[in-house]
Amino acid sequence: MVGIRIRELRSDRGMTLTGLARSTGLSAGLISQVERGLTDPSLETLRRIARVLDVPLFSLFRDAEPDSDAVVVRRDRRMQVSSPHGGISYQRLSPGSGKLELLEGTLEPGAASSAKPWSHPSEECVTVLSGQLLVEIGSARHDLETGDSCYFDSRSPHRYVNPTERRTVFLVAITPPSF
């Protein structure tokens, strides 16, 4: 379904496949395969596409519109995005239709949330549920232990790193959603 959503967003913006490819730095063939559901895009590919389409990453996945004032997201119905290399995965705990996005992240030993720090127009607060997390924001490095949290402006290039030999699990709240 992510491919269909990307095609819809691209078309809504009057953007050609070639134009999206040029703007993202990805090949037109790869984007075509994603749109047709022939390949599963990597987290980095989705980030590039979402940035160019000017939407939060998780909005590339279809969301049911809430039909009441409360939305329950069941554990077995969470939207998940993983790195093809297996180092990082995110599950969306919020419904994806509000002004706040809540994600549960899992970083494998030695893994990072991205190859290099990146930015997006939001604010974030990350809390470590288990393990240790290194939060890199610009040139600053913040070492977090279980129970620690870090709040920052996501417009500063940032990433999360697991510097240990055991899995790290964390929650991250993002507002407005732009991940």
Side-chain angles (χ1 to χ4, degrees), residues 2-170:
V2 70
I4 293 169
R5 180 74 175 135
I6 290 169
R7 184 181 305 128
E8 287 173 353
L9 290 167
R10 179 178 59 76
S11 295
D12 288 349
R13 285 156 178 74
M15 186 178 284
T16 65
L17 188 76
T18 305
L20 180 59
R22 189 176 325 109
S23 296
T24 59
L26 301 168
S27 73
L30 173 62
I31 294 174
S32 174
Q33 288 180 347
V34 169
E35 286 188 352
R36 292 181 293 140
L38 300 177
T39 189
D40 290 326
S42 71
L43 187 56
E44 181 58 29
T45 296
L46 291 173
R47 282 180 176 155
R48 288 183 186 192
I49 291 171
R51 183 172 283 163
V52 169
L53 295 175
D54 195 30
V55 296
L57 182 142
F58 274 95
S59 74
L60 297 178
F61 301 89
R62 290 202 181 271
D63 293 304
E65 291 300 316
D67 56 2
S68 70
D69 292 336
V71 178
V72 174
V73 178
R74 302 285 178 205
R75 177 184 297 265
D76 62 343
R77 305 271 306 164
R78 292 178 184 171
M79 182 68 60
Q80 182 164 331
V81 175
S82 300
S83 165
H85 309 295
I88 178 91
S89 65
Y90 289 100
Q91 288 189 352
R92 185 173 60 199
L93 307 180
S94 54
S97 56
K99 296 176 184 167
L100 173 74
E101 188 162 64
L102 184 62
L103 306 172
E104 180 181 290
T106 302
L107 268 173
E108 297 301 325
S113 60
S114 58
K116 60 183 181 174
W118 69 292
S119 62
H120 51 100
S122 298
E123 297 173 46
E124 289 185 37
C125 186
V126 60
T127 301
V128 180
L129 298 178
S130 65
Q132 296 175 310
L133 188 68
L134 171 62
V135 181
E136 296 178 349
I137 306 168
S139 61
R141 296 167 53 96
H142 306 280
D143 291 307
L144 304 181
E145 303 282 334
T146 299
D148 293 345
S149 63
C150 179
Y151 170 86
F152 60 95
D153 186 330
S154 306
R155 291 175 294 189
S156 296
H158 62 280
R159 72 179 188 153
Y160 302 130
V161 179
N162 178 354
T164 71
E165 293 183 16
R166 59 178 243 227
R167 177 180 286 167
T168 296
V169 179
F170 59 94

